[in-house]
Amino acid sequence: MHFILWFVFCFFLLKVVNALTCFWCKSKVCLAGKTAIITGGAAGIGFQTALALASKGCRVIIADISNLTKAVDELKNVSKNQNIIGVEVDLASFRSVREFAKKILDTEPRLDILVCNAGIGEHKMRIMTGDGVEKTMQINYYSHFLMIHLLLDLLKKSAPSRIAITSSVLAYVSDLTVKELNPSPDYFEERKGWRTFNCGTYSASKLCLAGLTKTLASKLQGTEVIVNVCHPNGVRTSIYAPVVRQAIGLSYFVSSLYCLVCLFGKTPEEGAQTLIHLAHSEEVKLINGRSFYEGMVVHPPFQLTDYFCEQLWKASIEYTKLTPEEIKC
């Protein structure tokens, strides 16, 4: 009975908070002649972002690993924009990211908007990719770091251009340190029990994306390429499925919180609004390197000290094996 009462209370609280705080992008900017790439654009808030940009006349390139044909067909049908394509990329493979970037550079004359949105929710099991990097960190963060560098010349050529990044409010509770930028087995062992609440490598990867935004914005000053990051909160997307499965067996509080978000959180359309805002709104064109929540500029995660960001940048170059010639900023 207590669990049911707790569940009902959280449900109504979540619905009230969502109704009062949900931001809606009302930009009227026309994007005809512009090109956007959206990672993870085949589903969730990535799909909704693709739909919003395509509906404004933008050429949209969906970068994803599955459901590309279905997503592209649906986007064309709903937006009435036929200038939409899907290009497969596996963010768990740096080779795939490089092949994707080469294909874009070979075929696209411009790139006005790069939306780094794709991600996975697993965080309790340590799974290493063929590149020797922990899987969640590579998909959510390191592959986007690599993609940005490989496409940066095209973004500069097309300037003024934008990079919009999806982080998470969970970045604010991450306890990631510079010693665990490629998390060791001990990192996972320490996150058993209630510490699963901060979502381990998921929150860590999202903290790194916020750190990337801060450093990249500083390095890109004067290029007319701006980069900002948003922190969605409680969006009903498939990314929560593994999180909910992993929460089973934890306290009622943690389990019910994950389930509530999965069942009653914001719709992907609602959750995508700030990302859409960062991608094209006139109000953001002079704002650089900032964190956004519900359309508003907010303070970045406190963990992002100059030292942390500096070490993160160095580690990112090392793990992605960027050559000196590929470092464009």
Side-chain angles (χ1 to χ4, degrees), residues 3 6-7 10 14 123-124 193-194 196-199 240-264:
F3 175 74
W6 165 252
F7 190 86
C10 288
L14 190 59
H123 64 275
K124 282 189 69 178
W194 71 270
T196 302
F197 181 69
N198 84 348
C199 292
Y240 280 105
V243 177
V244 172
R245 288 197 299 270
Q246 292 162 6
I248 302 302
L250 298 178
S251 68
Y252 280 151
F253 174 78
V254 176
S255 298
S256 61
L257 189 59
Y258 284 138
C259 290
L260 278 167
V261 170
C262 188
L263 294 173
F264 307 117

Side-chain angles (χ1 to χ4, degrees), residues 89-106:
V89 61
D90 180 4
L91 296 179
S93 164
F94 291 144
R95 178 180 178 180
S96 179
V97 174
R98 288 182 175 278
E99 291 173 349
F100 169 83
K102 185 178 186 305
K103 188 176 299 183
I104 296 299
L105 295 175
D106 288 345

Side-chain angles (χ1 to χ4, degrees), residues 47-262:
F47 180 88
Q48 293 299 325
T49 302
L51 178 58
L53 301 185
S55 297
K56 294 174 180 289
C58 189
R59 171 171 169 77
V60 174
I61 301 169
I62 301 299
D64 217 319
I65 194 172
S66 60
N67 298 321
L68 278 174
T69 301
K70 179 181 178 182
V72 169
D73 289 345
E74 185 173 351
L75 285 168
K76 287 181 178 180
N77 181 56
V78 177
S79 70
K80 309 306 179 185
N81 180 350
Q82 299 303 302
N83 201 7
I84 303 169
I85 65 170
V87 180
E88 185 172 310
V89 61
D90 180 4
L91 296 179
S93 164
F94 291 144
R95 178 180 178 180
S96 179
V97 174
R98 288 182 175 278
E99 291 173 349
F100 169 83
K102 185 178 186 305
K103 188 176 299 183
I104 296 299
L105 295 175
D106 288 345
T107 59
E108 300 298 325
R110 64 182 302 115
L111 177 58
D112 304 273
I113 303 164
L114 175 59
V115 179
C116 298
N117 165 76
I120 60 173
E122 289 93 342
H123 64 275
K124 282 189 69 178
M125 294 180 59
R126 185 174 187 260
I127 302 174
M128 305 300 288
T129 70
D131 297 299
V133 179
E134 194 280 322
K135 183 179 179 181
T136 300
M137 292 292 287
Q138 179 162 339
I139 291 177
N140 293 7
Y141 170 67
Y142 285 112
S143 283
H144 283 116
F145 178 92
L146 176 61
M147 184 181 293
I148 288 171
H149 277 79
L150 298 178
L151 296 177
L152 198 50
D153 276 348
L154 188 56
L155 284 161
K156 290 178 179 178
K157 174 186 172 184
S158 309
S161 54
R162 303 189 189 189
I163 303 171
I165 296 175
T166 304
S167 179
S168 167
V169 292
L170 288 172
Y172 289 84
V173 298
S174 172
D175 56 1
L176 182 71
T177 68
V178 295
K179 295 180 180 179
E180 292 287 8
L181 295 177
N182 189 17
S184 67
D186 289 342
Y187 181 87
F188 289 82
E189 188 67 25
E190 293 168 359
R191 274 147 190 81
K192 291 183 176 179
W194 71 270
R195 294 191 72 185
T196 302
F197 181 69
N198 84 348
C199 292
T201 50
Y202 178 76
S203 63
S205 66
K206 295 302 183 177
L207 176 65
C208 289
L209 287 166
L212 169 61
T213 301
K214 177 181 177 180
T215 305
L216 194 59
S218 176
K219 291 180 177 291
L220 290 177
Q221 285 185 0
T223 66
E224 291 190 283
V225 180
I226 68 167
V227 52
N228 290 293
V229 62
C230 68
H231 301 280
N233 181 26
V235 183
R236 300 198 306 265
T237 69
S238 59
I239 198 170
Y240 280 105
V243 177
V244 172
R245 288 197 299 270
Q246 292 162 6
I248 302 302
L250 298 178
S251 68
Y252 280 151
F253 174 78
V254 176
S255 298
S256 61
L257 189 59
Y258 284 138
C259 290
L260 278 167
V261 170
C262 188

